């Protein structure tokens, strides 16, 4: 009887010790995840002048997949002027650790030149509009300004050192063919430049039966989601289109005075994601 009681007591003590050990291990893992698993925002040296902001974001993309595509910087300055400033910039989505150097617009210079900022705070929000994910980093304004001043590494060098090698996805576009039924006979003729019957109607276009298409200006050109990085648009008009590893982007300061070439690139896109507005 006494032996059984002693054995049960020992077993109970061992069980309690095991539970305490597991709880301690769980707390330790949680603490490590909290300290080292959180997304990290790094300040970099901008090459974009007084309106520029260069930064890098590190996060566990395997645990929290998202296409990060915007940054928002907000100044809260209740005892100075201006009392509140907010600047936002959107960029092509990034699915892994990355760096960007962005022109945030004149609001950035206003934020940096705020007065009475001893008690002001800055909140930086980086996230994905597509996935509804965001990360926030808050700090006193003096600390924000100090981090900008101390930054030495550029976004270009950061990306070079943290480049993730990945092969481009290959998409095969199926070929389609069909056999049309014979057309019904008719006494009507198609009025086109290559039909000799109507050659005289097109002679005013240059005498060779070919019409002249007038070029036009484009006010805006953009890429919708679904690009398959086939390189067709860049091959046609590389001054406007730049194919990246996962999508195509419009080059900064792209010329928009040759609407015919932009139209040609849009019509050559197999997934029809190139869109534009005529001026």
């Amino acid at each position: 009887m006494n032996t059984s009681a002693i054995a049960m007591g020992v077993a109970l003590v061992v069980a309690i010790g095991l539970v305490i050990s597991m709880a301690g291990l769980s707390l330790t893992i949680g603490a490590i995840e909290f300290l080292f698993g959180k997304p990290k925002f790094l300040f970099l040296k901008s090459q974009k002048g007084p309106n520029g902001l260069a930064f890098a974001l590190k996060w566990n993309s395997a645990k929290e997949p998202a296409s990060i595509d915007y940054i928002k910087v907000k100044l809260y300055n209740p005892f100075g002027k201006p009392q509140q400033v907010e600047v936002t910039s959107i960029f092509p989505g990034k699915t892994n650790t990355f760096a960007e150097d962005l022109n945030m617009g004149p609001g950035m210079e206003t934020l940096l030149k705020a007065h009475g900022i001893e008690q002001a705070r800055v909140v930086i929000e980086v996230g994905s509009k597509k996935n509804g994910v965001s990360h926030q980093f808050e700090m006193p304004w003096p600390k924000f300004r100090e981090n900008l001043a101390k930054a030495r590494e550029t976004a270009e060098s950061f990306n070079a050192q943290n480049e993730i090698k990945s092969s481009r996805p290959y998409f095969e576009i199926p070929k389609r063919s069909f056999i049309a039924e014979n057309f019904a006979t008719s006494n009507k003729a198609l009025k086109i430049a290559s039909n000799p019957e109507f050659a005289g109607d097109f002679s005013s276009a240059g005498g060779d039966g070919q019409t002249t298409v007038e070029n036009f200006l484009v006010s805006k050109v953009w890429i919708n989601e679904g690009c398959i990085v086939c390189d067709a648009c860049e091959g046609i008009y590389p001054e406007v289109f730049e194919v990246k590893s996962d999508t195509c982007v419009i080059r900064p300061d792209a010329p928009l005075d040759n609407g015919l070439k932009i139209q040609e690139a849009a019509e050559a896109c197999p997934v029809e994601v190139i869109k534009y507005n005529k001026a």
Side-chain angles (χ1 to χ4, degrees):
M1 184 67 178
N2 291 338
T3 303
S4 298
I6 292 172
M8 290 181 62
V10 171
L12 181 61
V13 171
V14 171
I16 293 173
L18 182 61
V19 170
I20 293 174
S21 299
M22 291 299 293
L25 179 61
S26 178
L27 289 173
T28 301
I29 294 174
I32 293 174
E33 178 69 19
F34 178 79
L35 293 174
F36 302 104
K38 294 175 61 178
K40 295 182 179 179
F41 184 91
L42 306 176
F43 288 87
L44 303 176
K45 186 176 181 60
S46 176
Q47 308 294 316
K48 302 292 185 179
N51 297 337
L53 175 64
F55 68 95
L57 182 70
K58 293 183 175 182
W59 86 101
N60 190 338
S61 56
K63 184 177 180 181
E64 190 174 18
S67 179
I68 304 299
D69 55 15
Y70 78 90
I71 181 171
K72 185 182 298 183
V73 182
K74 295 177 280 189
L75 170 68
Y76 297 98
N77 188 25
F79 303 106
K81 290 183 180 181
Q83 292 186 334
Q84 186 169 335
V85 180
E86 180 177 307
V87 291
T88 303
S89 184
I90 300 174
F91 48 87
K94 303 294 189 298
T95 56
N96 289 291
T97 293
F98 71 95
E100 280 284 349
D101 191 354
L102 304 170
N103 187 330
M104 303 295 289
M108 189 65 183
E109 189 172 7
T110 302
L111 186 151
L112 294 175
K113 292 183 177 180
H115 299 285
I117 45 73
E118 290 75 13
Q119 300 183 49
R121 300 193 69 80
V122 174
V123 176
I124 301 173
E125 180 181 324
V126 187
S128 169
K129 292 183 179 295
K130 177 180 178 180
N131 305 112
V133 174
S134 66
H135 305 292
Q136 290 193 349
F137 309 88
E138 183 175 349
M139 66 198 72
W141 189 96
K143 185 65 176 177
F144 173 78
R145 194 69 180 86
E146 178 187 351
N147 287 334
L148 288 177
K150 290 169 58 178
R152 293 293 178 267
E153 186 177 12
T154 65
E156 183 179 1
S157 63
F158 180 93
N159 284 330
Q161 295 176 14
N162 294 271
E163 182 180 5
I164 297 177
K165 302 292 184 180
S166 60
S167 59
R168 285 190 174 187
Y170 176 75
F171 298 90
E172 182 175 354
I173 301 175
K175 296 181 179 179
R176 297 181 181 180
S177 62
F178 65 92
I179 300 175
E181 296 181 357
N182 294 329
F183 289 100
T185 59
S186 171
N187 60 353
K188 297 181 179 180
L190 190 61
K191 189 175 182 178
I192 58 176
S194 58
N195 190 336
E197 183 178 344
F198 301 100
D201 295 344
F202 296 92
S203 59
S204 61
D208 57 355
Q210 300 296 322
T211 58
T212 301
V213 179
E214 184 177 355
N215 209 337
F216 57 91
L217 298 177
V218 170
S219 61
K220 180 181 179 182
V221 59
W222 69 96
I223 309 294
N224 281 344
E225 293 182 3
C227 174
I228 61 172
V229 293
C230 67
D231 294 331
C233 57
E234 186 174 0
I236 294 172
Y237 207 174
E239 292 82 1
V240 173
F241 303 96
E242 180 180 7
V243 178
K244 301 286 190 179
S245 61
D246 57 351
T247 188
C248 177
V249 299
I250 306 302
R251 295 183 184 274
D253 302 323
L256 302 180
D257 58 345
N258 194 335
L260 288 178
K261 290 194 70 173
I262 293 176
Q263 178 181 343
E264 180 183 356
E267 292 175 349
C269 177
V271 288
E272 301 180 350
V273 297
I274 299 175
K275 305 296 178 183
Y276 62 91
N277 291 333
K278 291 185 178 181

